[in-house]
Amino acid sequence: MDETMQPSLFYRSEAGGKRPLLVGLHTWSYDRFNQIKNMLPLAERNGFHLLLPEFRGANLKSNKDCTKACGSAYAKQDIKDAIDHLLAHEDIDKDSIFLLGLSGGGLMALLMAGMCPEYFKAIGAYVPITDLAKWTEENASYCTHVMACCSESADEMRKRSPISYMDTIAKANLKIFHGKYDKVVPVSHSLTLYNALTEKYPKASVYLDIFDGGHEIDMKTAEYWILSQYQKAEKTKVTG
């Protein structure tokens, strides 16, 4: 978008032929190396390629490029550009691209659903922030970082909040996971987005899992969601 080179990590599957691609998004305060431990075993077990983009780094005021991080148009375009590069140069099954992010990465996963839902066979967003302005009132520890990233602009916070893109997010195949006892990002973020979206688009393929936990990810449930969408199994109807 601004003609700069941006870093990503790519792990090529050893399985032959066109392979699915898992795109893993780092958390709020970290970089592309943040999710190797979580994402790489999942990709290796299932013969997926793995992409870990950086999208302008940590959403912290200490990041000199922070105004281009934190869900900006630049950050979203970085992820899309990295995927496009792999589609052009690697053996990717373009119909089997999966997106998974948690916390700040969950925010980005929802924003990508709001930008290009057609790119992804399925998206998983764990404990995401859905409304940055609301979050600044709820979490003083992160407020100064949000303000720095958004140049203290209410309009920028709105543009970087998934709640602003419900009409496009409704076109995605998406599951949101949120811990009922999350003290970092209240579960109300996911509940508000889900309820508003399903009220407007009741047939949207958007789902919500409120789990017994806090600000965390269970990679087993994440893997189950991805694989359930990669190879859909027949469901058995239950009679009353």
Side-chain angles (χ1 to χ4, degrees), residues 28 59 70 107 128-158 160-161 183-186 188-189:
W28 183 273
N59 304 331
C70 192
L107 164 80
I129 304 104
T130 65
D131 185 332
L132 286 171
K134 178 184 176 185
W135 197 43
T136 61
E137 298 172 357
E138 298 166 335
N139 194 317
S141 298
Y142 287 90
C143 179
T144 56
H145 300 296
V146 175
M147 290 297 185
C149 291
C150 296
S151 303
E152 300 188 7
S153 165
D155 187 51
E156 277 299 311
M157 283 188 274
R158 180 189 59 77
R160 300 171 189 226
S161 295
K183 294 181 180 179
V184 179
V185 182
S188 59
H189 277 255

Side-chain angles (χ1 to χ4, degrees), residues 193-213:
L193 174 64
Y194 176 79
N195 288 336
L197 196 151
T198 53
E199 182 178 349
K200 188 173 183 180
Y201 299 101
K203 294 184 178 180
S205 295
V206 178
Y207 311 97
L208 177 63
D209 181 342
I210 303 298
F211 61 87
D212 181 11

Side-chain angles (χ1 to χ4, degrees), residues 87-103:
L87 288 172
H89 296 95
E90 297 289 341
D91 214 5
I92 306 290
D93 177 0
K94 66 180 179 62
D95 295 319
S96 296
I97 300 176
F98 299 89
L99 183 65
L100 184 60
L102 56 150
S103 190

Side-chain angles (χ1 to χ4, degrees), residues 37-136:
K37 185 177 179 181
N38 275 336
M39 306 290 183
L40 186 54
L42 189 161
E44 289 180 333
R45 274 194 302 272
N46 298 289
F48 286 18
H49 299 303
L50 174 65
L51 170 66
L52 300 172
E54 184 144 311
F55 48 98
R56 308 295 165 131
N59 304 331
L60 301 175
K61 62 182 181 180
S62 57
N63 175 4
K64 61 181 177 60
D65 210 21
C66 71
T67 57
K68 291 183 178 178
C70 192
S72 74
Y74 296 92
K76 292 186 288 187
Q77 189 65 43
D78 286 349
I79 296 169
K80 187 172 180 292
D81 286 344
I83 296 170
D84 286 339
H85 177 82
L86 292 181
L87 288 172
H89 296 95
E90 297 289 341
D91 214 5
I92 306 290
D93 177 0
K94 66 180 179 62
D95 295 319
S96 296
I97 300 176
F98 299 89
L99 183 65
L100 184 60
L102 56 150
S103 190
L107 164 80
M108 287 303 301
L110 293 177
L111 288 173
M112 295 309 293
M115 180 187 188
C116 51
E118 71 281 0
Y119 266 53
F120 306 105
K121 190 176 185 73
I123 298 171
Y126 267 80
V127 294
I129 304 104
T130 65
D131 185 332
L132 286 171
K134 178 184 176 185
W135 197 43
T136 61

